[in-house]
Amino acid sequence: LGGPPSGHRGMGNDLSCCAKRADEKNHIQRSISKNPKADPQNVSVEGPVRQPQSDKVGIGAYFERSKIGTGLVVKSILSGSPAYKTGKISVGDAVEKVDGHDVTAAKLAELAELLLGAAGSRVSLSFKSVTSDKVYTVEVVRGIPLPILYNN
């Protein structure tokens, strides 16, 4: 309770190390006033928070690092999504391959790059079932748009 964790700075014009990295990566310019009511034009965020990627869509499954062992497992599945409609993918299943690429040691960002694609395109996924330990493969049609964040 005694202040921000080490490596982080307080509010005002100082940014945390994470905010600085994000700003540098996304070329965001920030201007924050300590008293926004007195200085309203100095309260702004300029530049893209995230570039719209309307051409990239997913399958409606979210993944996380496995808590028991290695690899990435299904964290959740959106109801009605392409992943849900396969009727085979379950929470806890470990993803092993995407379009023939071994992803057992992949990072989440690397998996996302392989899973995202044009709406209506197909992606082949191999999973190891959490319940039976058997490997199965499904073909999923991409169709869940990514959320787009806008600057206001």
Side-chain angles (χ1 to χ4, degrees):
L1 300 193
S6 74
H8 290 76
R9 296 184 193 167
M11 296 298 290
N13 288 331
D14 293 331
L15 299 173
S16 71
C17 60
C18 296
K20 282 184 180 179
R21 280 194 301 261
D23 283 357
E24 290 168 3
K25 183 176 180 183
N26 296 316
H27 306 289
I28 297 171
Q29 297 174 348
R30 292 178 183 236
S31 176
I32 301 173
S33 171
K34 291 185 181 188
N35 188 352
K37 289 183 181 177
D39 191 11
Q41 61 270 74
N42 198 22
V43 179
S44 65
V45 176
E46 299 174 13
V49 174
R50 181 170 163 185
Q51 294 294 328
Q53 296 184 357
S54 58
D55 60 328
K56 298 253 184 169
V57 295
I59 62 167
Y62 296 94
F63 298 83
E64 66 183 350
R65 178 96 12 231
S66 174
K67 293 178 175 83
I68 53 167
T70 60
L72 300 171
V73 297
V74 178
K75 178 180 180 179
S76 63
I77 302 170
L78 291 175
S79 180
S81 70
Y84 177 86
K85 289 177 182 177
T86 67
K88 294 183 179 182
I89 303 171
S90 297
V91 170
D93 288 357
V95 61
E96 295 193 338
K97 291 185 179 182
V98 177
D99 284 337
H101 299 281
D102 184 342
V103 293
T104 55
K107 295 178 182 176
L108 282 168
E110 294 167 335
L111 178 62
E113 284 296 315
L114 294 170
L115 288 177
L116 298 175
S121 64
R122 297 181 181 276
V123 61
S124 175
L125 300 139
S126 294
F127 291 93
K128 185 172 187 180
S129 172
V130 67
T131 55
S132 69
D133 270 349
K134 292 183 180 178
V135 175
Y136 64 93
T137 300
V138 293
E139 190 170 273
V140 182
V141 177
R142 293 178 178 106
I144 297 293
L146 293 174
I148 298 174
L149 304 176
Y150 295 97
N151 278 340
N152 293 331

